Amino acid sequence: MDRPYDIVLFGASGFTGALTAAYLARAAAPGTRWALAGRDRAKLGRLGLDVPILIADATDPASLAELARRTRVLATTVGPYVRYGEPLVAACAEAGTHYVDLTGEPEFVDRMYVRYHDLAAANGAKIVHACGFDSIPYDLGVLDIVTRLPEGVPLTVSGFLRTSMRPSGGTLATALTIAGRARQAAEAASRRRAAEPGPKGRKVSSAPGGLRYVGGWALPMPTLDPKIVGYSARLLDRYGPDFTYRQHYAVRTLPQALRTAAGAGAFATLAMIPPARDWLQSRLRPGEGPSPERRARSWFKITFLGEGGGERVVTEVGGGDPGYDETAKMLGESALCLAFDEVPDRAGQLTPASAMGRPLIDRLRRAGITFAVKP
């Protein structure tokens, strides 16, 4: 496409957006034509990067349409996406522009599928949600282990997350939005099930795991990630005729498990009460986040257990601070992958595994995220 930019990053003045901009400045190859975009030129200028600055506003569809027409790939960190994301998805689907975001919001992903999948597919646009810690390590980790298991047989994969991290104000705002919109999310999921064709002659099941003891305690993990993994499995025949995925959050002791479950339940309850939700958000405002020193101590490891055809494989995906430093890396490399790598020839609303797959795994490995087979 004859457009002035390879990549535009929208929302770079926010906490995660600034980290992504800094990552692109380090990682983009010489000659990459990229730019920052947002509504406040002064804030973007304070990032100190020698790249063009484009003006666009999440509430101004005309400015977003113009932005989408000027680039091959548009990456956005502006959330919560259910509030601010739809006009940009619409603009990219219409313009045939590849799109990547950091959403962890199932409602948003389902609504965008129903409204824009067909348009994006017709215009050759790849709409790829969840290109940060939600949900790249899980989606690509499952793809990686599936390719190490026999073909043409039923496969079962379980994922177990261990992590140490602190949230930012933007992450908190997104979590509160998700927890406070359970009814709307259920309605969006129902509409998508009616609109999305199932895999022909194959079965796919993906869900949060159940409570398990596996040398430590594995808790259900009701996040977007199993939905993304399940969509990849429906799109890719390599996942076999009968594929099952379950995802867990792993802790060492029963008291830890009880505290984690109680905290999650209390958060979900408070998020549905407007005064309590406002109080929670006041504890950490959007734009605020953990210090570089705290992020340097953060880490994540996801262990995957895959079984099928009489074989058993264990792999691990790991890295540093998952919520910010590694998320910026994942989003930046996703945008670079779509702009420059030889990726699968499919369009519409996709997933990291189905849109980019092995080329993105290779990029992330070179960038320091581990994909390793365990004994």
Side-chain angles (χ1 to χ4, degrees), residues 145-146 148-157 201-204 236-244 306-312:
I145 198 171
V146 161
R148 301 176 188 279
L149 291 165
E151 292 191 56
V153 300
L155 301 178
T156 299
V157 179
R202 301 169 53 236
K203 296 179 181 179
V204 172
L236 302 175
D237 290 345
R238 181 60 180 84
Y239 287 62
D242 190 345
F243 176 79
T244 300
E307 298 176 291
E311 295 190 19
R312 185 175 189 267

Side-chain angles (χ1 to χ4, degrees), residues 59-324:
T59 63
D60 180 5
S63 71
L64 299 180
E66 175 62 20
L67 197 64
R69 287 192 291 266
R70 300 185 69 187
T71 186
R72 298 167 56 221
V73 180
L74 212 161
T76 175
T77 64
V78 179
Y81 291 89
V82 76
R83 294 180 185 169
Y84 304 115
E86 181 171 352
L88 193 57
V89 173
C92 289
E94 179 65 39
T97 300
H98 301 325
Y99 164 101
V100 290
D101 68 25
L102 295 175
T103 190
E105 304 159 56
E107 178 190 353
F108 176 70
V109 173
D110 288 340
R111 289 190 188 282
M112 296 306 96
Y113 180 91
V114 171
R115 294 174 181 173
Y116 302 107
H117 169 74
D118 290 342
L119 178 63
N123 290 332
K126 299 179 191 290
I127 305 297
V128 193
H129 302 294
C131 288
F133 188 59
D134 290 317
S135 298
I136 275 181
Y138 313 95
D139 195 34
L140 296 185
V142 172
L143 175 66
D144 184 57
I145 198 171
V146 161
T147 60
R148 301 176 188 279
L149 291 165
E151 292 191 56
V153 300
L155 301 178
T156 299
V157 179
S158 296
F160 302 89
L161 168 68
R162 292 172 291 147
T163 186
S164 171
M165 62 173 287
R166 293 276 177 86
S168 73
T171 298
L172 178 59
T174 295
L176 290 169
T177 298
I178 295 170
R181 295 179 61 89
R183 178 182 58 80
Q184 294 94 326
E187 292 173 353
S190 177
R191 292 192 186 98
R192 178 170 178 174
R193 284 193 297 271
E196 182 185 349
K200 294 182 179 179
R202 301 169 53 236
K203 296 179 181 179
V204 172
S205 173
S206 63
L211 180 65
R212 298 173 61 181
Y213 183 75
V214 286
W217 290 92
L219 306 176
M221 196 170 162
T223 60
L224 174 65
D225 313 307
K227 179 185 285 287
I228 296 294
V229 171
Y231 188 31
S232 293
R234 292 193 295 277
L235 290 172
L236 302 175
D237 290 345
R238 181 60 180 84
Y239 287 62
D242 190 345
F243 176 79
T244 300
Y245 176 66
R246 296 292 181 264
Q247 186 162 305
H248 310 79
Y249 182 76
V251 297
R252 293 188 180 277
T253 67
L254 181 59
Q256 285 179 294
L258 294 174
R259 287 196 299 270
T260 300
F267 181 88
T269 300
L270 291 172
M272 291 186 286
I273 305 170
R277 185 166 61 244
D278 293 343
W279 178 80
L280 285 170
Q281 185 66 79
S282 72
R283 313 303 294 173
L284 191 60
R285 295 291 186 184
E288 300 174 357
S291 67
E293 294 76 18
R294 180 62 184 88
R295 298 200 308 273
R297 299 195 300 272
S298 298
W299 55 270
F300 78 93
K301 292 181 180 178
I302 309 166
T303 301
F304 295 97
L305 169 61
E307 298 176 291
E311 295 190 19
R312 185 175 189 267
V313 177
V314 179
T315 63
E316 184 177 272
V317 178
D321 172 60
Y324 307 100

Side-chain angles (χ1 to χ4, degrees), residues 44-55:
L44 294 171
R46 285 196 286 271
L47 295 176
L49 300 176
D50 185 21
V51 295
I53 293 175
L54 311 177
I55 301 304

